Amino acid sequence: MSRPWFLPDEPLPLIDGGTAGAASWLRDWATGAGWDELREPDGRWREPWQRFFAELPAATPAELNERAAALARQIHEDGVTYNVYSDPAGAPREWPLQLLPFIVDAADWRQIEAGVAQRAALLNRVLADVYGPRRSLRDALLPAALVVGHPGYLHGLQGHVPAGGVWLHIAAFDLARGPDGGWVVVGQRTQSPSGLGYVLENRLGVSRQFPQAFRQLNIQHLASGYRLLLQTLQTLAASASGGQPPRLALLTPGPYNETYFEHAYLARYLGLPLVEGSDLTVRGGAVYIKTVHGLEPVHGLLRRLDDDFCDPLELRPDSTLGVPGLLEAVREGRVVMANALGAGFLESPAVHGFLPGLCERWLGEPLALLSLPTWWCGEAAAWQAVQGDLAGKAVHPTYPPTLGAGLRRGLQSATLPHEGAALDAWLARIARDPEACTVQAAMPYSRTPLWSGGRLQPQGVTLRVYAVADGQGGWQVLPGGLARTATGQPAVSMQHGGSSLDTWVVTEGPVDTFSMLPPPLRVEDLERQRQRPVSSRTAENLYWMGRYTERTEHQVRLARTLLGVLGEDDEPPSPEVAAALSSLAQSSGLLPPGVPPLEQAPRVFERALIDELSRPGAWSVAYNLQALERTAGALRDRLAPEHWRLIRDMGEGFARRMRPAGAADGSVDARVAGGPAGVARAVDGTAALERLGLQLAAVTGAHTDRMTRDVGWRLLTIGRLSERLIQVCAVLRAFFERPAAGHPDGFDALLALFDSTITYRARFQRRQELLPLLDLLVMDEANPRAVACVLRRLRTECAKLPGGPGPGAPRVDDAQAAADRVQHLLARLPAEGVGRGLAELCAAEPGAGQRGSRHPVVELAEGLSRAALDLAHDIDRAYFSHAALTERLLAA
């Protein structure tokens, strides 16, 4: 065996059985009170770590640093994030993944696997009992206050039996290793256990850094556990699908949830559509996804939404995340929820103290994995036993700290002080409301090696393990889990600086090589794959991504034109042109209200324009970039990673370039116009806009050339074209309401705003005539920004949109309904061209409106703007909100 890379310093047995020294990278490894995952009590390395480092004999600290950097780059490039609610910036943080894995040997895993499967079966039986015969309450095995008195117990489900009698389809248990090496349960998650997506991402990232060690240690794979979860849900959901193949979806709270990335990642891995509550509706007791094709039934929901928020009609009335009527659909057996609703009370720490007795009574065997010693203070005997020995123990809220009144509201987990007035205050507090408090013994967590600063450093760790039901009473424990570093006790929190580790389970048998890759497709499957429905929320986000992109591009073009006019050394623009540009700047959101127009105070106008570009207020460039990023963030499962990074980097880069020198915090101290600082700000603004314009062109190219032409893409394109029609009509109106287009500087500005200067000069050289101008900007169907071209493309894309009635609607021919819906959209637009002839548009001179008559171009622009807004309203009703269907149902 090759010699390890570390150098001797002081005696320490190493992996080759010889004696050498503790290298500099181990100097921070202090002996602690908890179990040492890396070393035996005599200093020898534990066997799994010997084998791990034996596969890295030539590695150096510098090389491990490079691997850590590569892992961080992968996390960044994959966009793996974790939202921290307390972050004042509100920005998602990159997922904190450690380089070294957390290794569990085969003997430890056998103990964990048996104990976790037993506990999951026990908890499922508890749920069946408390929502059924309630023998545990009658026999005093569980206090009623912990069950029916807990907000997590849903009284509306009393007597309900879920499909197959399965309440818990997946259960998660947080484990820690005690000082004696044994494993104990420190928490359990039974509502919507989080982390399965991160488990996959951790495995993908870390195993790539150590592929040889991963193979040589015979690490068990994970895919079979995910397959079982999917199969169980499909089997149970068949009871709600009426004999048809059941349709499943993953229900998420949305992109602002702390773990939204893993929701999207898990949905993609399992092949499930990712839906929010607003994507679903209950009609006639059944649950449907709102898609652009109509309403599609859903028979099973793998949820990542806690009970409280699932149904605002029967549960939390202020929830905007749930689905009205969902609880009724559950009671009717029309949808299977995984996990079933109503398991929240099992997450109370007070329940842990009663599980050993329940296990002995119901399963006839002792509980294999014990919890930390637990005392529910609402039980007089328990409170009496522990109140004299509270020092150093942990106190937890029995009920959710956000619910209840008085002491119960706001009570958080804490470690009790050892003595003095603070401990006396806690004694008095618990005595005032003992039921609200649960006390647990403290235990030092085991210490695992982390690679940091060029050396190994010990850190407390807990392990979340997942048990998956097979639907027939059995359980499979996922061979791995989510290991997290413990930044403090009594709780481990990713919200407060914790990090994650990939969990490697060493197996003595064969490695399961099953893959979640789907079986080969048949010819008849291809058409069905092409026509997979697009949810209404996804379609709406794509539509608005198109609109925000076009709106921002228009603002950038207008701002560059304005700064170019203001920066010219020649004579200022004519009053008519200045008035037209001022009007456009105000209506486009480039200026706040009250700013003097360009013709009155050009320097004040310029200062306000530059300041407003990066201000996060409504309609500014910065605001639209943020809106574009939010919308794209909800479409992560549809965008290429480079596409998403480009959109994300646009806003960050623009804010950075617009920040004045010496004002790193974004202050406006340097925003002084009229002197060198003001000139610098104008130059910086122009450079920032030029760079943003290039990035927007790249985003538009990605929209056009890197996305599949499905219904979602078509709605994105319609969004862009609708917004373009609104903006070009606004430009035409501003320049033709006053005699601005007839002035040379106005003529040039108009061409610049239509991005048509090169085309015009190539055709007509230096001519400045109304006829060729209107022909190019209004009538030319080959010019992408001409009104006629925008209308032609809108008609083409609208004609390809789907239609048809939804479930419960009056019986009509589907093809006829689709045709009627599309024809209604097309009727908003001129049947061909722009609806007017070129000769008619040229019949009046620019500025005719000032002489009492409206210019035909102004009338055309106003009419087409209204048509674009009406079209947007109709698309929303038909494909996003499905309001037309609701009205038909109400009228029926």
Side-chain angles (χ1 to χ4, degrees):
M1 181 180 297
S2 302
R3 186 174 180 79
W5 49 263
F6 38 79
L7 299 175
D9 213 6
E10 54 187 52
L12 176 69
L14 295 178
I15 60 175
D16 59 0
T19 60
S24 61
W25 46 266
L26 259 182
R27 64 173 176 261
D28 293 330
W29 196 276
T31 302
W35 180 268
D36 191 330
E37 299 285 351
L38 178 65
R39 300 189 304 177
E40 300 281 1
D42 61 4
R44 290 181 301 113
W45 289 43
R46 297 190 186 277
E47 192 272 340
W49 285 108
Q50 291 188 37
R51 294 170 58 193
F52 178 85
F53 280 109
E55 299 301 329
L56 307 172
T60 65
E63 182 181 338
L64 287 183
N65 287 339
E66 290 177 2
R67 297 191 194 205
L71 179 62
R73 283 196 302 272
Q74 181 181 334
I75 293 293
H76 177 75
E77 291 172 1
D78 290 348
V80 188
T81 56
Y82 181 83
N83 299 332
V84 179
Y85 293 137
S86 60
D87 186 355
R93 297 183 184 178
E94 290 186 351
W95 177 243
L97 177 59
Q98 294 290 332
L99 174 65
L100 298 181
F102 179 71
I103 304 178
V104 182
D105 66 25
D108 281 330
W109 185 250
R110 284 194 294 271
Q111 177 192 358
I112 291 172
E113 188 174 32
V116 164
Q118 180 201 53
R119 186 173 280 243
L122 178 63
L123 294 183
N124 193 79
R125 184 160 178 176
V126 169
L127 287 167
D129 175 71
V130 299
Y131 284 102
R134 294 187 175 181
R135 287 190 294 268
S136 58
L137 303 186
R138 290 200 307 269
D139 297 343
L141 297 174
L142 273 175
L146 287 185
V147 181
V148 296
H150 193 286
Y153 180 85
L154 304 186
H155 295 267
L157 289 179
Q158 179 61 39
H160 170 67
V161 179
V166 179
W167 290 85
L168 297 179
H169 305 77
I170 180 166
F173 301 93
D174 292 327
L175 310 180
R177 196 199 289 267
D180 61 353
W183 293 89
V184 297
V185 177
V186 297
Q188 52 198 29
R189 297 291 175 262
T190 54
Q191 290 190 77
S192 53
S194 65
L196 280 173
Y198 288 125
V199 170
L200 290 169
E201 181 62 35
N202 289 358
R203 174 58 52 87
L204 181 65
V206 175
S207 62
R208 283 180 177 176
Q209 299 304 320
F210 305 106
Q212 186 172 350
F214 185 83
R215 289 191 299 269
Q216 293 301 319
L217 265 69
N218 215 34
I219 303 304
Q220 190 59 271
H221 294 186
L222 302 170
S224 290
Y226 292 86
R227 172 183 59 179
L228 179 62
L229 175 62
L230 194 59
Q231 288 178 342
T232 299
L233 188 53
Q234 287 173 332
T235 299
L236 297 176
S239 63
S241 65
Q244 299 297 318
R247 290 179 174 168
L248 311 178
L250 194 152
L251 176 61
T252 172
Y256 297 108
N257 183 262
E258 58 183 353
T259 57
Y260 178 73
F261 167 83
E262 70 128 348
H263 304 175
Y265 189 92
L266 183 61
R268 188 161 55 243
Y269 182 73
L270 296 177
L272 302 179
L274 184 67
V275 299
E276 298 178 25
S278 58
D279 293 327
L280 304 175
T281 185
V282 176
R283 305 279 173 88
V287 181
Y288 297 90
I289 298 180
K290 292 181 279 189
T291 78
V292 294
H293 295 275
L295 300 184
E296 302 281 350
V298 179
H299 310 106
L301 289 172
L302 178 61
R303 66 182 176 99
R304 286 302 317 277
L305 188 63
D306 283 349
D307 292 356
D308 293 351
F309 298 94
C310 283
D311 187 346
L313 289 183
E314 297 193 50
L315 299 173
R316 184 166 174 163
D318 62 344
S319 171
T320 60
L321 305 176
V323 187
L326 183 60
L327 209 61
E328 180 60 29
V330 167
R331 283 193 293 263
E332 293 291 329
R334 305 292 295 277
V335 66
V336 173
M337 303 288 289
N339 285 337
L341 297 173
F345 71 91
L346 288 177
E347 297 184 353
S348 172
V351 172
H352 290 254
F354 299 92
L355 293 181
L358 284 166
C359 190
E360 291 277 4
R361 176 71 68 88
W362 285 352
L363 303 185
E365 57 190 24
L367 194 62
L369 276 181
L370 296 176
S371 302
L372 289 172
T374 303
W375 297 267
W376 176 51
C377 299
E379 189 178 31
W383 173 230
Q384 184 176 2
V386 77
Q387 62 180 329
D389 187 27
L390 287 177
K393 291 184 169 60
V395 61
H396 302 282
T398 303
Y399 308 105
T402 55
L403 300 176
L407 172 64
R408 301 183 180 196
R409 182 181 296 277
L411 178 64
Q412 301 291 337
S413 297
T415 300
L416 295 170
H418 284 273
E419 58 185 358
L423 180 59
D424 293 339
W426 269 107
L427 278 166
R429 185 178 186 183
I430 297 173
R432 287 197 301 272
D433 190 0
E435 287 188 1
C437 302
T438 300
V439 174
Q440 282 189 330
M443 181 190 76
Y445 295 143
S446 65
R447 295 168 297 122
T448 195
L450 306 185
W451 182 257
S452 177
R455 63 182 66 93
L456 295 176
Q457 296 183 358
Q459 181 71 65
V461 65
T462 65
L463 174 63
R464 176 167 292 183
V465 178
Y466 301 86
V468 180
D470 64 7
Q472 300 175 354
W475 294 85
Q476 178 177 326
V477 182
L478 194 70
L482 188 67
R484 297 175 294 168
T485 59
T487 53
Q489 290 177 295
V492 175
S493 174
M494 300 296 289
Q495 286 283 327
H496 297 94
S499 58
S500 179
L501 305 90
D502 185 23
T503 302
W504 289 12
V505 172
V506 179
T507 180
E508 296 172 338
V511 170
D512 186 352
T513 58
F514 171 77
S515 170
M516 282 290 288
L517 291 174
L521 288 171
R522 300 167 297 177
V523 173
E524 55 268 29
D525 296 328
L526 296 179
E527 187 63 27
R528 184 167 61 252
Q529 290 292 326
R530 292 194 195 104
Q531 296 180 355
R532 293 182 67 180
V534 177
S535 76
S536 293
R537 177 183 54 85
T538 297
E540 186 172 16
N541 281 319
L542 286 165
Y543 173 81
W544 277 102
M545 185 165 72
R547 290 197 66 172
Y548 283 129
T549 304
E550 188 67 28
R551 186 176 296 173
T552 308
E553 195 170 352
H554 168 76
Q555 285 185 317
V556 169
R557 188 176 294 108
L558 177 57
R560 292 176 64 182
T561 301
L562 285 164
L563 290 176
V565 168
L566 289 164
E568 290 179 353
D569 295 331
D570 300 333
E571 294 183 5
S574 63
E576 294 83 0
V577 175
L581 290 173
S582 294
S583 172
L584 277 174
Q586 289 280 0
S587 64
S588 298
L590 291 178
L591 288 177
V595 175
L598 171 61
E599 60 271 25
Q600 291 182 11
R603 294 305 98 186
V604 175
F605 184 94
E606 183 182 45
R607 285 200 303 270
L609 173 65
I610 294 173
D611 285 350
E612 193 68 15
L613 287 175
S614 56
R615 199 182 301 277
W619 305 109
S620 68
V621 171
Y623 171 85
N624 283 313
L625 286 172
Q626 291 172 357
L628 175 59
E629 182 177 343
R630 285 195 302 270
T631 306
L635 297 165
R636 293 286 300 280
D637 56 334
R638 288 186 60 99
L639 302 181
E642 314 86 56
H643 194 171
W644 159 246
R645 286 199 301 272
L646 180 59
I647 292 174
R648 181 190 61 190
D649 293 346
M650 279 196 310
E652 295 175 358
F654 184 71
R656 185 173 60 253
R657 296 183 188 94
M658 289 299 297
R659 188 176 299 132
D665 59 352
S667 65
V668 295
D669 295 341
R671 300 183 184 188
V672 181
V679 173
R681 289 288 293 142
V683 172
D684 291 343
T686 301
L689 289 168
E690 289 177 354
R691 174 65 178 170
L692 182 56
L694 289 173
Q695 291 176 310
L696 283 165
V699 169
T700 302
H703 291 173
T704 304
D705 201 43
R706 302 198 67 183
M707 296 183 70
T708 303
R709 264 62 169 171
D710 61 0
V711 177
W713 176 87
R714 188 149 286 115
L715 283 161
L716 181 150
T717 304
I718 290 172
R720 286 185 57 234
L721 294 172
S722 299
E723 188 66 30
R724 182 174 296 182
L725 182 60
I726 292 170
Q727 300 299 346
V728 297
C729 286
V731 173
L732 289 173
R733 179 176 177 180
F735 275 77
F736 280 86
E737 277 185 333
R738 49 190 66 81
H743 289 265
D745 49 357
F747 199 95
D748 290 342
L750 195 54
L751 286 172
L753 291 173
F754 272 78
D755 200 18
S756 300
T757 302
I758 294 176
T759 304
Y760 185 88
R761 297 305 177 200
R763 292 183 185 178
F764 307 110
Q765 288 76 44
R766 301 303 302 174
R767 291 177 178 271
Q768 291 193 347
E769 301 175 15
L770 181 63
L771 180 66
L773 180 73
L774 289 178
D775 180 63
L776 178 63
L777 303 187
V778 178
M779 309 301 294
D780 190 347
E781 293 193 356
N783 180 5
R785 298 196 176 275
V787 176
C789 183
V790 175
L791 288 169
R792 175 181 60 79
R793 294 180 63 196
L794 268 175
R795 286 190 291 265
T796 299
E797 299 302 337
C798 286
K800 296 178 181 179
L801 288 175
R811 290 186 176 274
V812 294
D813 182 71
D814 287 353
Q816 185 60 48
D820 290 346
R821 181 175 296 180
V822 170
Q823 288 304 315
H824 180 72
L825 296 178
L826 293 174
R828 296 291 189 186
L829 306 173
E832 59 181 18
V834 299
R836 294 200 181 197
L838 181 60
E840 181 182 357
L841 296 179
C842 296
E845 292 295 326
Q850 294 184 355
R851 298 191 294 271
S853 60
R854 294 173 60 76
H855 196 286
V857 173
V858 174
E859 294 179 350
L860 174 69
E862 290 179 344
L864 292 178
S865 292
R866 287 194 299 270
L869 293 172
D870 289 341
L871 180 67
H873 179 67
D874 290 342
I875 287 174
D876 175 77
R877 286 162 53 86
Y879 299 108
F880 305 152
S881 65
H882 297 263
L885 172 61
T886 302
E887 291 166 2
R888 289 201 303 271
L889 290 173
L890 291 174

